[in-house]
Amino acid sequence: MYNLLLTLILFVSVLIIIAVMMQPSKTNDAMSSLTGGADDLFAKQKPRGFEAFMQKVTVVLGIAFFILALALAWYSSK
């Protein structure tokens, strides 16, 4: 059981890395910090399509990682 949990947590951690790397970048350039970002009128829109999907996948994988880490800690303490 310990090996199964360890394998699952390693697999989920690799999937989290892939999911985070696939998300689109939201960085602003240096000029935006000087102007206050006023040129981004629609920057506060809700994510749609692929971006929303990737955010949901990342949240689900994060929750799965947390649950697996707790289960692994609980199992290894016995």
Side-chain angles (χ1 to χ4, degrees):
M1 184 68 174
Y2 179 80
N3 289 334
L4 176 67
L5 287 174
L6 193 60
T7 303
L8 285 175
I9 204 166
L10 288 173
F11 183 69
V12 168
S13 63
V14 169
L15 288 178
I16 287 174
I17 292 170
I18 292 170
V20 168
M21 295 297 287
M22 288 180 64
Q23 289 183 2
S25 160
K26 295 181 184 176
T27 59
N28 294 331
D29 56 354
M31 191 61 177
S32 176
S33 65
L34 296 175
T35 62
D39 55 339
D40 295 334
L41 180 60
F42 300 106
K44 300 287 184 191
Q45 288 182 347
K46 291 178 75 174
R48 298 174 196 259
F50 180 73
E51 186 176 348
F53 175 73
M54 289 309 297
Q55 284 182 355
K56 291 175 187 173
V57 166
T58 305
V59 167
V60 169
L61 288 173
I63 291 170
F65 181 83
F66 184 72
I67 291 171
L68 286 170
L70 286 176
L72 191 62
W74 180 76
Y75 188 76
S76 66
S77 70
K78 288 190 172 198

